[in-house]
Amino acid sequence: MRRRYATLLALGLSSAGAVEPEAGPGPIPGEVVTRIGQVAAVPADERLVPGYAGAWRMAAAQRQVIDAIKAHEARAAKPCQDVRVTATAQAAPDLLETRPRNVHHALERWTVQACGAERQYEVWYRFEKDNSRVLVADSAGAGFQAELDPPYRRLRELAAARRQEVAAGAMRWLNLPLPNDSVPASNESTPRSWSAEFVPLGESLREWTQLVSVQGLPRSKAAGQAVMLLEGMQRSRAARCGVPPGEVSLLPPGANAPHGVVAQTFLVCPQVPGTNYAELAVVKAIEGPDWLYLVQRAWRLPAGDAQAVLAAAQEPRLAAEAFLASVQLCNPAQDTAACPSPFPR
């Protein structure tokens, strides 16, 4: 059965309507194999296209897809050389196979203007260590391809379900414009919650100088969930580090959060117990219609008394607050302009 599936996959990659980039199987630029076997998207080193792919695929990976689309348009019944990518989006939640090997599947939707006509392309990534592939297919002709490849078929089913969820207005995107040198350090996803952490290139989850973390937590129907969570974090930090709890501030919700409040706080630990460093973080909580979004920008400084640490923290605190100012939600059913760097989940 496994051999038959491999044969179908090989046939599918050469079928009509699909275009595989000329390079054979191998590493795709920017792929990162995490401890749970997934291949995570990484912040792009350069934006060649707008939207999701421009923010979460390395420039070389973006270029692979652009070249495949241009080659497809050049071979069309009416060849076109004037091709421009106008939007990219994560089309469906990712899939992960774990047996007999780890294979990660992702699906993107690219919108293209080709000689004045708008077309949709599906980009299917099949990540496998040192044996990855990317398939680009015109959405109008992708049905046959999906029948041959079960993971691709399942991704298209999930994409259809996501389109319905978006159209119903029940889903939000989170804008997360990470620093350029950030790489994933961990990620986890369950039906009840999800999380991811990012550190500068060359650092790890154990040894880091800066950290960005993002979480999606179950949304409570009770009022004040964001404030209560941040106040609890302040009390916990105060008990652990021997400092008084800090203030939790309500931010103007504006158009970003008509469904709930946005709150923010500054956490300080002059010396983390058992270490020689201080930890500080600016934390933002956003009440969405689907999740409670918790995003923090943390950093470490040499340990010292509270006043000395606070004085040294002024500049990084301003940088953290500037980063969090652009972290907000947008409704993909109405307008995605507020989310040029949508977080993949």
Side-chain angles (χ1 to χ4, degrees):
M1 185 68 179
R2 176 60 58 183
R3 181 174 298 175
R4 180 172 180 269
Y5 173 78
T7 302
L8 288 176
L9 180 64
L11 288 171
L13 291 173
S14 60
S15 64
V19 180
E20 186 184 11
E22 292 182 3
I28 293 176
E31 69 178 47
V32 174
V33 182
T34 71
R35 61 183 177 83
I36 57 174
Q38 290 183 327
V39 182
V42 298
D45 53 344
E46 184 181 356
R47 300 193 82 163
L48 304 183
V49 297
Y52 171 85
W56 291 95
R57 299 289 181 206
M58 301 295 281
Q62 297 174 53
R63 195 170 287 111
Q64 275 187 289
V65 177
I66 293 171
D67 290 345
I69 291 174
K70 287 183 175 180
H72 184 80
E73 291 292 341
R75 292 195 297 268
K78 295 182 178 179
C80 176
Q81 301 293 332
D82 181 17
V83 179
R84 181 170 58 92
V85 179
T86 58
T88 63
Q90 183 186 24
D94 292 358
L95 295 178
L96 179 65
E97 295 180 59
T98 57
R99 295 179 182 180
R101 62 200 181 285
N102 290 332
V103 183
H104 179 96
H105 301 274
L107 186 66
E108 295 170 1
R109 183 178 64 256
W110 289 47
T111 304
V112 170
Q113 283 284 339
C115 295
E118 182 175 281
R119 276 193 275 279
Q120 300 281 334
Y121 282 86
E122 294 179 358
V123 182
W124 169 33
Y125 295 92
R126 183 185 182 277
F127 294 112
E128 183 180 6
K129 186 173 176 58
D130 299 324
N131 194 41
S132 298
R133 288 181 182 268
V134 56
L135 179 73
V136 181
D138 186 333
S139 295
F144 175 73
Q145 178 72 35
E147 287 303 312
L148 296 177
D149 300 316
Y152 187 20
R153 182 168 66 248
R154 180 57 182 153
L155 283 171
R156 297 189 88 222
E157 291 170 353
L158 292 171
R162 173 165 285 190
R163 286 195 299 272
Q164 291 180 350
E165 187 179 9
V166 168
M171 183 180 179
R172 293 295 183 271
W173 285 359
L174 176 70
N175 193 55
L176 192 71
L178 291 171
N180 288 336
D181 65 344
S182 299
V183 294
S186 71
N187 62 67
E188 184 177 355
S189 180
T190 72
R192 292 285 296 162
S193 65
W194 49 267
S195 65
E197 293 173 297
F198 302 85
V199 298
L201 183 66
E203 299 186 4
S204 69
L205 203 54
R206 287 181 58 87
E207 302 290 337
W208 54 267
T209 58
Q210 298 183 46
L211 175 78
V212 174
S213 73
V214 54
Q215 291 176 273
L217 303 173
R219 186 74 165 90
S220 170
K221 294 182 180 180
Q225 184 182 10
V227 172
M228 290 174 61
L229 177 62
L230 296 186
E231 287 178 343
M233 293 176 71
Q234 282 287 1
R235 289 193 298 270
S236 177
R237 181 67 63 99
R240 183 186 183 203
C241 302
V243 294
E247 180 185 359
V248 174
S249 302
L250 288 177
L251 303 181
N256 177 42
H259 35 70
V261 304
V262 181
Q264 189 164 296
T265 196
F266 177 47
L267 297 169
V268 181
C269 186
Q271 181 168 6
V272 177
T275 76
N276 62 352
Y277 56 78
E279 278 190 5
L280 306 98
V282 181
V283 189
K284 187 174 188 176
I286 306 173
E287 294 179 356
D290 47 358
W291 300 96
L292 173 67
Y293 296 83
L294 186 70
V295 185
Q296 64 175 306
R297 179 85 184 265
W299 65 99
R300 287 171 173 169
L301 297 174
D305 65 77
Q307 291 304 314
V309 168
L310 287 173
Q314 288 184 5
E315 187 173 338
R317 179 180 179 178
L318 289 174
E321 290 174 344
F323 162 73
L324 288 174
S326 60
V327 174
Q328 57 189 339
L329 303 183
C330 61
N331 184 348
Q334 298 175 357
D335 180 23
T336 59
C339 292
S341 301
F343 172 68
R345 61 176 180 83

